[in-house]
Amino acid sequence: MIIAIDGPAGSGKSTTAKAVAARLGITYLDTGAMYRVITLKSLRTGVAACDEPALAELTANTIISFTGVLPDTKVWMDGEDVTDAIRGSEVTKYVSDYCAPSVVRDALVEQQRRIAQGNSVVCEGRDIGTVVFPDADLKFFMTASVEERARRRQKDFEKLGVSKTVEELVKEISLRDHKDSTRANSPLRKAQDAVEIDTTSLDLEMQVKFIIERALPLLKQ
Ligand code: DC
């Protein structure tokens, strides 16, 4: 069974997807983490987002893997634990540029499909219901007001020791939303058959319950 969860930054996708996967005992796939790994490696090695041949080579030569059991999962880049490094503010600032070229997207989408093959997966990202798994069993599109998303991101950054104002984050998130929704390749958009969940005033438990109630009958089939 594939559960696709898409939505903009800070809409509650990650927390919800992790909780759903943990409760159903199925694989959690964070596709945003994969684009972040490519961004981190490009920034470290000085590869520009517009240099498609170099980006294609870098992507082909990068081994991205996930280990551990929720909530203690780790993200690895060529054998290095980059779980925290990919959440840093530089990577967050530039990831929308590095995730747009098709040389990056095509390679990562192929890896995402391979990871899901033969498994039950909760997969979250921006193009999961539209491009990666158009035949997913369940599709959700999570949204929330930009102010609420900025407040949530502020808390995430606090945990990493980074202090940012809500106003600053509203600007950053709006810019990233704009780039993610207007790019030519697999832009962020709701699949026609996705169920929209506005999480502005929902708590995590409500979001998780909403999805689990729809997933359980399918798992029992
Ligand atoms: O979910 P996130 O914030 O970790 O995602 C990081 C970036 O990766 C985000 O700007 C959009 C991009 N992304 C994407 O284009 N397609 C996906 N399936 C997942 C993420």
Side-chain angles (χ1 to χ4, degrees), residues 4-23:
I5 305 182
D6 289 302
S11 57
K13 304 185 298 299
S14 300
T15 332
T16 307
K18 281 182 196 162
V20 169
R23 276 194 220 172

Side-chain angles (χ1 to χ4, degrees), residues 6-219:
D6 289 302
S11 57
K13 304 185 298 299
S14 300
T15 332
T16 307
K18 281 182 196 162
V20 169
R23 276 194 220 172
L24 295 177
I26 65 179
T27 302
Y28 162 66
L29 179 57
D30 175 3
T31 60
M34 300 173 78
Y35 292 101
R36 286 172 179 271
V37 168
I38 297 303
T39 307
L40 176 67
K41 190 162 167 178
S42 301
L43 292 175
R44 277 190 189 170
T45 56
V47 170
C50 57
D51 186 349
E52 297 213 357
L55 255 188
E57 197 185 329
L58 181 142
T59 307
N61 292 317
T62 304
I63 299 170
I64 305 172
S65 53
F66 298 93
T67 58
V69 177
L70 288 166
D72 297 311
T73 47
K74 287 195 182 301
V75 185
W76 301 82
M77 176 178 86
D78 302 326
E80 175 190 346
D81 178 358
V82 292
T83 313
D84 292 334
I86 59 165
R87 305 285 159 200
S89 48
E90 280 294 283
V91 171
T92 302
K93 187 170 170 190
Y94 292 107
V95 63
S96 288
D97 299 321
Y98 284 95
C99 73
S102 54
V103 288
V104 174
R105 300 206 74 82
D106 293 351
L108 294 192
V109 166
E110 197 187 310
Q111 289 185 34
Q112 290 154 17
R113 291 186 180 140
R114 217 178 311 130
I115 293 170
Q117 216 162 34
N119 287 316
S120 280
V121 177
V122 180
C123 187
E124 59 130 325
R126 303 291 190 289
D127 58 343
I128 309 306
T130 51
V131 173
V132 185
F133 300 117
D135 298 325
D137 302 271
L138 290 171
K139 296 183 187 179
F140 299 95
F141 191 82
M142 301 184 76
T143 59
S145 71
V146 70
E147 291 76 17
E148 175 60 22
R149 294 192 283 131
R151 280 191 287 273
R152 292 175 187 170
R153 270 294 132 101
Q154 191 182 38
K155 285 189 194 143
D156 292 342
F157 275 122
E158 265 168 23
K159 284 183 206 148
L160 295 172
V162 179
S163 155
K164 287 191 182 238
T165 65
V166 170
E167 292 70 31
E168 207 179 336
L169 286 164
V170 164
K171 273 195 204 141
E172 278 183 25
I173 290 176
S174 305
L175 180 66
R176 196 140 68 95
D177 282 356
H178 178 74
K179 285 186 185 171
D180 289 341
S181 320
T182 55
R183 66 175 178 234
N185 263 323
S186 316
L188 165 68
R189 66 178 173 81
K190 177 182 166 294
Q192 260 182 353
D193 50 349
V195 177
E196 185 161 342
I197 310 174
D198 185 339
T199 68
T200 308
S201 48
L202 289 184
D203 65 26
L204 176 65
E205 188 51 37
M206 290 158 116
Q207 290 157 207
V208 174
K209 216 173 138 214
F210 186 86
I211 296 177
I212 297 265
E213 275 169 3
R214 284 154 183 83
L216 276 179
L218 298 179
L219 266 184

